[in-house]
Amino acid sequence: MTGSRPLALVTGASSGIGYELARLFGEHGHDLVVNAEDDRLEHAAQRLRETGAEVRAVRADLRTAEGVDRLVAALTGHAVDVAALNAGVGRGGAFVDTDPADDQSVIDLNVTSTVRLAKPLLRDMVARGVGRLMFTSSVAATMPGSFQSVYNASKSFVQSFAQALQEEVADTGVTVTSFMPGPTETDFFRRAGMADTKVGTMDKDDPAQVARQAFDAVMKGRGKLVTGSPKTKAQGVADRVLPDRVKAAVHRRMAEPGTAPDGDGR
């Protein structure tokens, strides 16, 4: 990186919301460090270079300590102006049926890597007195996730973590933003094994729209917001007042295996 333009880091950038965020940063004058663990990353990086950005692709699996260390090492010597910790994974199904290794994978990526990456990034930003840190949370953070229990709990952690950091860095010149998408048209539900669920087959929000709203929020220094369609925003409002037991029951109707309209749904 030449250092002539501000630098943005985006994890989970090979597709979906992460790619769209990276594209927006590139179009608005940032050079990019983009990360993902899959083989689509280099193709995404090539497309992102069309924005005029200098792009470094760091392929690393953030579910592992080695992957996190590799990404942190790639940032050594570079001042990150904005970091979007977006990488995440889910696993659908009843908790008693899911593989413990899959549950641990959700925790390792959504929780552990988020904490391990946020530490050096935030320390550097606070020391410089400038920077923007953003987290991809979820409306799932606001509700018990029946048949997606570990994922929703992991996003509740991310949401609480982000809001705690907002208070800690107040008046340092650094901002922390968490944005909360609803179901979005990405690879998430396929990778989570939720193709036979109502939420997996329903119409979803546009990742470009979600990313645009999140980008605007982080550049304005907003603390948190629900992103996406009016339907998703309405869900965010409802989740503030509905009892947890009601939200858990609603989530079950969306996420229980076999609830897809063309399956054995009820």
Side-chain angles (χ1 to χ4, degrees):
M1 297 295 170
T2 63
S4 61
R5 291 161 41 119
L7 180 63
L9 164 69
V10 184
T11 67
S14 61
S15 63
I17 296 170
Y19 173 79
E20 296 295 342
L21 278 172
R23 181 180 59 80
L24 287 166
F25 285 120
E27 290 175 350
H28 288 80
H30 292 72
D31 285 334
L32 300 167
V33 174
V34 292
N35 157 263
E37 53 83 25
D38 61 273
D39 58 9
R40 295 174 295 175
L41 179 63
E42 187 53 50
H43 178 62
Q46 291 174 2
R47 287 184 292 156
L48 290 168
R49 292 184 182 104
E50 296 173 4
T51 68
E54 184 176 349
V55 182
R56 180 175 182 182
V58 182
R59 187 173 175 182
D61 186 350
L62 300 182
R63 292 171 294 187
T64 68
E66 295 79 11
V68 174
D69 290 343
R70 182 179 180 186
L71 180 55
V72 171
L75 298 170
T76 301
H78 301 288
V80 177
D81 296 278
V82 56
L85 302 187
N86 167 76
V89 68
R91 173 53 56 185
F95 180 71
V96 296
D97 295 331
T98 52
D99 189 322
D102 289 336
D103 296 335
Q104 189 62 54
S105 180
V106 173
I107 296 166
D108 289 341
L109 184 56
N110 298 6
V111 176
T112 305
S113 78
T114 298
V115 173
R116 294 196 64 220
L117 285 171
K119 182 80 75 174
L121 289 165
L122 200 58
R123 279 178 170 171
D124 181 68
M125 289 177 181
V126 170
R128 291 186 290 116
V130 64
R132 306 176 192 273
L133 181 61
M134 64 188 302
F135 297 89
T136 303
S137 179
S138 171
V139 293
T142 66
M143 65 189 77
S146 312
F147 296 91
Q148 218 177 348
S149 56
V150 177
Y151 173 77
N152 284 42
S154 74
K155 288 302 183 179
S156 294
F157 176 91
V158 170
Q159 187 63 31
S160 177
F161 181 56
Q163 290 183 251
L165 296 182
Q166 289 168 13
E167 181 61 29
E168 290 188 19
V169 302
D171 303 321
T172 67
V174 178
T175 62
V176 177
T177 300
S178 64
F179 68 99
M180 306 164 70
T184 305
E185 198 59 60
T186 69
D187 286 341
F188 175 86
F189 293 98
R190 178 188 61 81
R191 295 180 66 191
M194 299 179 69
D196 64 341
T197 65
K198 184 175 181 179
V199 69
T201 54
M202 66 187 285
D203 290 338
K204 302 176 184 65
D205 290 346
D206 178 2
Q209 178 190 48
V210 171
R212 165 58 69 179
Q213 294 173 10
F215 175 85
D216 290 343
V218 73
M219 298 310 289
K220 293 175 182 177
R222 291 185 60 182
K224 69 173 183 177
L225 78 160
V226 175
T227 52
S229 63
K231 180 180 177 180
T232 297
K233 292 178 182 294
Q235 179 183 344
V237 172
D239 286 342
R240 298 176 192 169
V241 297
L242 288 174
D244 284 344
R245 186 171 182 178
V246 172
K247 289 187 284 188
V250 171
H251 199 283
R252 177 179 194 143
R253 292 197 292 271
M254 300 294 291
E256 186 173 7
T259 53
D262 58 350
D264 297 324
R266 57 193 70 164

